[in-house]
Amino acid sequence: GDSVTQMEGPVTLSEEAFLTINCTYTATGYPSLFWYVQYPGEGLQLLLKATKADDKGSNKGFEATYRKETTSFHLEKGSVQVSDSAVYFCALSGTGGFKTIFGAGTRLFVKA
Amino acid sequence: DGGITQSPKYLFRKEGQNVTLSCEQNLNHDAMYWYRQDPGQGLRLIYYSQIVNDFQKGDIAEGYSVSREKKESFPLTVTSAQKNPTAFYLCASSIVGQANEKLFFGSGTQLSVL
């Protein structure tokens, strides 16, 4: 079945460091890909999405490019801030019905 | 402000007890969902509903029940048959429940067993 695999956390970075969180997927068909973010004690909120190959999603300095050849959707940010500390979930949908499939999440800690 | 409201934020269940988690949305969304989140794991779908008076089981429906009597409400009951109920429960909605839609989430309910 369809699945999403993310790099394990936690990831600990200093402020202004470069961030990469790896995400790969297995899916039949052509899914849409998402990154959601969860701040402590809260629900998830959409960070960015891409709906077809080579699309780049971007928001708040975060970017991810839909790479069909490598089945990847890695999240990047050039300079992280303490306020970026959260759990980041990669997800896909649109391959079978409307169900969204989530990765296990990657916790990010950013130190001042 | 439109959004999804979950209550209570914290809930404790005694052995053999059924408990109900509330989820209300004022986004006028047709589709609603319940997810369970365990530490270090992704979200797993419990139940979903695309229209009033209709709902379907997700991947881990055993020990749970839902109703959808109103468009804006989708309560989840954790029954005594659910032997490991301790988790963070998230309610979500989407506009019409079609593929590729983004999900809107509530702030969650943490359920613990006494």
Side-chain angles (χ1 to χ4, degrees):
Chain A
D2 296 350
S3 65
V4 175
T5 302
Q6 293 180 233
M7 63 186 286
E8 286 192 26
V11 174
T12 303
L13 295 173
S14 297
E15 209 165 21
E16 299 184 2
F18 185 86
L19 169 70
T20 299
I21 300 178
N22 290 337
C23 171
T24 57
Y25 67 90
T26 302
T28 54
Y30 303 96
S32 288
L33 302 174
F34 306 81
W35 277 100
Y36 286 85
V37 58
Q38 183 180 33
Y39 297 102
E42 297 183 9
L44 280 68
Q45 54 186 278
L46 181 69
L47 181 60
L48 53 85
K49 70 181 273 191
T51 58
K52 61 183 188 295
D54 300 325
D55 267 3
K56 178 186 284 188
S58 61
N59 186 25
K60 300 180 182 179
F62 291 89
E63 293 183 339
T65 301
Y66 190 142
R67 301 286 188 200
K68 188 169 181 292
E69 63 276 13
T70 55
T71 61
S72 65
F73 193 54
H74 305 321
L75 182 68
E76 297 181 336
K77 186 175 186 183
S79 175
V80 294
Q81 305 300 312
V82 172
S83 57
D84 293 327
S85 298
V87 181
Y88 292 82
F89 291 90
C90 186
L92 67 82
S93 75
T95 58
F98 66 97
K99 190 167 74 170
T100 300
I101 296 170
F102 290 86
T106 302
R107 184 176 294 277
L108 170 66
F109 292 106
V110 181
K111 302 180 297 184
Chain B
D1 279 344
I4 300 179
T5 302
Q6 289 188 242
S7 62
K9 193 163 180 66
Y10 300 96
L11 186 59
F12 297 91
R13 193 190 89 166
K14 294 180 182 177
E15 202 72 37
Q17 186 182 41
N18 293 352
V19 293
T20 297
L21 285 60
S22 171
C23 177
E24 303 278 331
Q25 55 101 356
N26 60 4
L27 299 167
N28 200 33
H29 287 176
D30 286 314
M32 297 187 74
Y33 314 76
W34 275 105
Y35 285 90
R36 170 176 170 145
Q37 183 179 17
D38 293 282
Q41 296 189 36
L43 280 65
R44 293 182 289 170
L45 183 64
I46 305 173
Y47 268 98
Y48 61 95
S49 168
Q50 291 180 279
I51 195 169
V52 174
N53 293 322
D54 187 48
F55 48 82
Q56 286 78 41
K57 293 180 179 180
D59 299 319
I60 56 165
E62 186 174 350
Y64 300 97
S65 65
V66 293
S67 63
R68 187 87 187 275
E69 297 176 2
K70 298 186 295 183
K71 185 176 183 178
E72 58 270 25
S73 179
F74 192 42
L76 173 74
T77 296
V78 184
T79 74
S80 57
Q82 173 48 248
K83 298 307 179 188
N84 184 23
T86 297
F88 191 56
Y89 290 85
L90 287 161
C91 180
S93 70
S94 62
I95 296 174
V96 293
Q98 292 182 354
N100 307 326
E101 282 187 335
K102 78 172 191 178
L103 298 174
F104 294 77
F105 284 86
S107 57
T109 293
Q110 176 65 51
L111 175 63
S112 303
V113 177
L114 289 177

